[in-house]
Amino acid sequence: MELLVHGGAGSEPEEPDRRWRDLRRAVRRGRKRDRPLTAVRAAVRHLESAPRFNAGVGGAVQSDGTVRTDAGIMGSDGVCGAACAMPGVEHAVEVARVVAEETPHVCVAGERAVALAGAFDVGTDRDLWTERTRERWREADVPAPAGGDGGSVRDQLAAVRDRFGGTDTVGAVATDGDRLAAATSTGGRWFALAGRVGDVPQVGAGFYATAQAAASATGEGEAIARFGLARRAVAAVADGDDPGTAADRVVRGFAAETGGRAGVIVADRSGRTGHAHNAEAMGTAGTGPG
Ligand code: ASP
């Protein structure tokens, strides 16, 4: 099994060594699995529980003081699912899998996605806050949550315009030389308007897989969604690029077209992997050399 994971494209991380160890552990978890889909799930699950990444525990906080999680998963065998805007769900990737395997849908959102998680024994009501997220939230001094009236939503929107940002989503791509899979999971971006959903659970934006290639993206979700980063990376492989060249080419195209910051990891069917980003940093680890 060839597997590559990322811990988000963004600024230079605090505690890079500990993050690197978490990424390595995620690879070890994933590589033992017998299918690319279960490999990416296992790797992403591990990173969702690691508090130094913006996914599951340690996820970004939205403008109303709630951590909401999103994820998407896709395999070359046609499995495709996503789930988003879920408070209290640590393993968003498991809900995405439930959507893919147990429903006729591609994406389920919000409180109904949490109910779906509960119905299929995915943990809910988890405390996703860490000491670090509490501190960051306190320091930001965001106005009190909107009580459902339009005026205070507008106040929150005004407040988030200046504060909104941040990345550190997690993702994985895998292949066994025959099948491919990709998965991505996030808490979204810090101080986004409550209910905001980015690229991660959008097919072709945050994740994509076909019989030729699989890709997982990270970075500025609004720009990634407009550009369709993961789908374009997969298309570049289908057009003949190796994964490294494909990643490089689409990130350069993304930067030129959107002016945004992003990264992508890519695997092809022959087991080659590659990655590229135009942020300050993007942590990756894989089964391949380096
Ligand atoms: N792409 C994610 C989002 O916009 C953030 C990230 O990559 O860290 O929700």
Side-chain angles (χ1 to χ4, degrees), residues 133-157:
T133 50
R134 269 182 230 294
E135 209 177 281
R136 186 165 174 187
W137 175 254
R138 264 196 309 270
E139 281 168 7
D141 200 22
V142 176
D149 95 314
S152 41
V153 171
R154 283 174 186 273
D155 288 348
Q156 272 187 65
L157 189 51

Side-chain angles (χ1 to χ4, degrees), residues 15-285:
E15 307 184 291
D17 293 345
R18 296 175 85 162
R19 283 165 65 107
W20 166 247
R21 281 201 290 276
D22 281 328
L23 291 170
R24 295 291 322 159
R25 269 188 213 120
V27 171
R28 285 201 291 277
R29 295 275 158 91
R31 76 187 309 174
K32 290 189 206 138
R33 308 295 161 140
D34 58 350
R35 292 165 55 206
L37 260 178
T38 48
V40 295
R41 250 173 75 198
V44 166
R45 259 188 84 97
H46 179 76
L47 296 171
E48 288 173 332
S49 298
R52 285 168 206 88
F53 299 94
N54 170 20
V57 176
V61 184
Q62 295 196 326
S63 64
D64 60 348
T66 303
V67 179
R68 293 182 177 84
T69 57
D70 311 328
I73 188 164
M74 188 165 180
S76 54
D77 51 3
V79 168
C80 179
C84 63
M86 298 180 289
V89 174
E90 178 179 0
H91 294 301
V93 73
E94 293 297 344
V95 194
R97 177 195 62 80
V98 168
V99 172
E101 290 179 350
E102 308 287 350
T103 81
H105 308 304
V106 163
C107 187
V108 178
E111 63 187 38
R112 304 318 304 166
V114 178
L116 181 69
F120 284 88
D121 301 322
V122 180
T124 59
D125 285 325
R126 296 286 162 87
D127 178 7
L128 304 179
W129 290 75
T130 64
E131 235 354 274
R132 204 169 138 263
T133 50
R134 269 182 230 294
E135 209 177 281
R136 186 165 174 187
W137 175 254
R138 264 196 309 270
E139 281 168 7
D141 200 22
V142 176
D149 95 314
S152 41
V153 171
R154 283 174 186 273
D155 288 348
Q156 272 187 65
L157 189 51
V160 300
R161 279 194 200 285
D162 295 343
R163 295 176 170 92
F164 172 54
T167 47
D168 284 350
T169 283
V170 305
V173 291
T175 179
D176 59 3
D178 179 21
R179 298 161 296 185
L180 286 133
T184 311
S185 179
T186 192
R189 299 181 73 189
W190 268 86
F191 311 121
L193 188 66
R196 175 265 189 191
V197 174
D199 59 303
V200 167
Q202 297 191 47
V203 185
F207 68 106
Y208 202 60
T210 65
Q212 281 88 38
S216 166
T218 169
E220 296 170 7
E222 283 68 15
I224 294 172
R226 281 194 291 270
F227 185 80
L229 186 57
R231 188 190 289 259
R232 290 213 206 184
V234 166
V237 173
D239 286 346
D241 282 352
D242 65 83
T245 308
D248 203 52
R249 191 199 294 272
V250 293
V251 168
R252 274 194 280 116
F254 168 82
E257 199 172 307
T258 70
R261 303 234 169 238
V264 66
I265 60 173
V266 185
D268 75 5
R269 196 173 160 178
S270 61
R272 296 178 299 182
T273 57
H275 54 90
H277 69 90
N278 68 338
E280 267 176 47
M282 179 171 83
T284 60

